[in-house]
Amino acid sequence: MAAHPVDEKLPALKMATTGLQHVAAMYAGVVAPPLIVGAAVGLSGTDLTFLTGACLFTAGLATFLQTLGIWKIGARLPFVNGVTFAGVAPMTAIVASTHDRSDALPVIFGAVMVAGILGFLAAPVFCKAIRFFPPVVTGTVITLIGVSLLPVAFGWAQGPDPAAPDYGSATHLTLAGITLALVLLLRRFTRGFVKQIAVLLGLVAGTIVAIPFGATDFGPVAGADVIGFPTPFHFGVPRFQPAAILSMCVVMVVSMTESTADMLALGEIVERPADERTIAAGLRADTLGSALSPLFNGFMCSAFAQNIGLVAMTRIRSRYVVATGGGFLVLMGLCPMAASLIAVVPRPVLGGAGVVLFGSVAASGIQTLVRAGLEKDSNALIVAVSLAVGIIPITAPDFYHAFPQTARIVLDSGISTGCMAAVLLNLVFHHLGRVRPDGAAVSQAPAPRNPATT
């Protein structure tokens, strides 16, 4: 019996190139949080490089847990794990509230460890929410994941620094457009292996094209060390402060919600639907990876939605490919010079490729919605309102400015708010009372479970 594509082991060269393609797609997302938090703490250039390498190293370990798995840990799906951006705001808030900035990272690490342990214990309960994720909900959430990521690609396309005079310049946008065109041409006019690594080839070609424009900086490669290990507790022994722990626990709930949605989305794409058991195992991997990450000076880890788009586009569904990508992440953590090679890729080039990747996620969500029965008024309303709620943080970033910072951790995530809205509306329309075909409630008695809506 042939192995499912998720469990397929590809030839070594194909495994390596497609794994590297996953790393290229998510590299910027992994290094951004440590750069932001490290700058807030006031780290030196050497310590900032160390912190970034540590996050790459721990992302690789977390990816191993998720893809290869041990015991009941790991979804064993082609998931890349890395530092969640949801934790950036509360971590910078912790830095701001810490009297001595040298204590800030130990406080953050202690809070992440506790949140990870509590999340690991809660995973078997949290995963039971899957029955409230029918296609009308999962399709909405998958679409929101793609739509929420597109502004990231648009930001990359404009340049690396929003404060720079050339941010959004014609040069940067041209480079993004050239990269996008290259990826599309490779996808249209090539076949087989070359077609599958079109994004990687587009990134390489885009980087070469950027050299005459002065947008490619090889300085990081020349100044990087060949070998470097993320020494445990380099920034000090973890400290445990209740307020910091509470804020990171909120982030953990948000992260677990998004990871659940990501697993459901990826399960649809690879044609191995994520059941309750898979989600529990995946959440255990996320939370255990987060709990262990501070030991090596890393932050909270979660599944990276960026790479779902790569799986959807290339149709390479092997988890071993992503595990190979995890190996590259570990190597980058141990070899700063290797990590700097990916850093050479200009941000506008990443932005051009990101349009294809993130748009592919949204397209997968639309495909799921097509099967969700939108001819029913109730389903159409669920999708309409949930998408509107989820798009608020994208179109009106200051919409929730009057809310407390703790609440904004959740509210400023369009994926989380849209997911909660879809789940709640699905409960109202499909679970609270029997529903007639015309959508009108006729009874408040519990309705029998309908596979089509549950």
Side-chain angles (χ1 to χ4, degrees):
M1 183 177 177
H4 190 282
V6 169
D7 300 318
E8 184 181 3
K9 295 181 180 179
L10 306 180
L13 177 61
K14 192 171 185 179
M15 194 92 78
T17 51
T18 50
L20 186 60
Q21 188 170 238
H22 274 282
V23 175
M26 54 84 76
Y27 178 84
V30 172
V31 301
L35 289 176
I36 295 171
V37 176
V41 174
L43 295 181
S44 64
T46 302
D47 278 342
L48 196 58
T49 300
F50 182 93
L51 183 64
T52 303
C55 287
L56 288 167
F57 179 78
T58 53
L61 297 181
T63 298
F64 285 151
L65 274 178
Q66 193 67 271
T67 54
L68 302 179
I70 54 172
W71 185 56
K72 297 181 179 180
I73 300 169
R76 292 169 174 82
L77 290 172
F79 259 130
V80 174
N81 271 42
V83 181
T84 174
F85 210 88
V88 170
M91 285 192 292
T92 53
I94 291 171
V95 172
S97 64
T98 305
H99 179 69
D100 185 349
R101 293 293 173 90
S102 63
D103 293 333
L105 285 176
V107 170
I108 290 172
F109 292 148
V112 171
M113 290 177 71
V114 174
I117 293 170
L118 293 177
F120 184 87
L121 296 175
V125 177
F126 201 92
C127 72
K128 295 186 183 300
I130 186 176
R131 74 188 202 84
F132 300 117
F133 285 81
V136 68
V137 174
T138 57
T140 301
V141 174
I142 297 168
T143 304
L144 276 173
I145 291 172
V147 172
S148 297
L149 288 171
L150 280 171
V152 176
F154 301 151
W156 290 346
Q158 295 179 80
D161 184 6
D166 64 346
Y167 186 73
S169 66
T171 298
H172 288 158
L173 298 182
T174 298
L175 288 174
I178 290 173
T179 305
L180 173 59
L182 287 170
V183 173
L184 293 175
L185 288 171
L186 287 167
R187 290 290 298 176
R188 173 63 182 85
F189 294 107
T190 61
R191 295 182 179 180
F193 180 53
V194 174
K195 183 176 182 178
Q196 291 174 328
I197 62 168
V199 172
L200 181 61
L201 294 176
L203 291 173
V204 172
T207 301
I208 295 172
V209 170
I211 294 175
F213 292 91
T216 305
D217 180 14
F218 291 95
V221 179
D225 294 329
V226 177
I227 299 175
F229 183 78
T231 312
F233 304 131
H234 175 81
F235 296 101
V237 178
R239 299 179 59 185
F240 305 97
Q241 291 187 357
I245 290 171
L246 178 61
S247 66
M248 294 313 294
C249 283
V250 173
V251 175
M252 179 57 73
V253 173
V254 174
S255 176
M256 292 173 74
T257 302
E258 293 189 358
S259 288
T260 299
D262 289 343
M263 279 183 265
L264 290 167
L266 189 58
E268 290 280 339
I269 290 168
V270 302
E271 297 177 355
R272 179 183 276 182
D275 56 15
E276 187 176 306
R277 189 184 204 176
T278 301
I279 291 173
L283 292 177
R284 288 191 188 100
D286 272 4
T287 53
L288 180 60
S290 296
L292 295 177
S293 186
L295 298 177
F296 299 100
N297 313 284
F299 298 140
M300 186 178 293
C301 295
S302 69
F304 259 52
Q306 289 96 316
N307 297 79
I308 297 176
L310 192 55
V311 174
M313 191 187 74
T314 63
R315 303 303 297 168
I316 296 178
R317 295 175 276 180
S318 171
R319 59 191 173 102
Y320 295 105
V321 164
V322 176
T324 302
F328 281 119
L329 290 171
V330 170
L331 175 63
M332 289 176 182
L334 299 176
C335 178
M337 183 172 286
S340 66
L341 289 173
I342 297 292
V344 167
V345 179
R347 201 62 61 85
V349 173
L350 280 174
V355 171
V356 180
L357 296 178
F358 306 156
S360 295
V361 178
S364 296
I366 294 170
Q367 288 176 340
T368 302
L369 286 175
V370 169
R371 305 193 302 266
L374 294 187
E375 69 279 0
K376 298 179 181 177
D377 288 345
S378 57
N379 285 345
L381 282 171
I382 291 171
V383 174
V385 175
S386 301
L387 285 177
V389 170
I391 291 174
I392 286 174
I394 302 171
T395 56
D398 297 325
F399 190 82
Y400 300 110
H401 73 276
F403 285 74
Q405 183 62 41
T406 303
R408 291 194 63 178
I409 294 172
V410 179
L411 296 174
D412 284 344
S413 168
I415 299 172
S416 296
T417 54
C419 179
M420 288 188 291
V423 170
L424 289 174
L425 289 171
N426 180 61
L427 281 172
V428 170
F429 282 100
H430 295 150
H431 291 264
L432 298 181
R434 191 184 300 274
V435 179
R436 293 202 311 254
D438 62 0
V442 296
S443 171
Q444 292 303 311
R449 183 173 178 179
N450 181 352
T453 57
T454 60

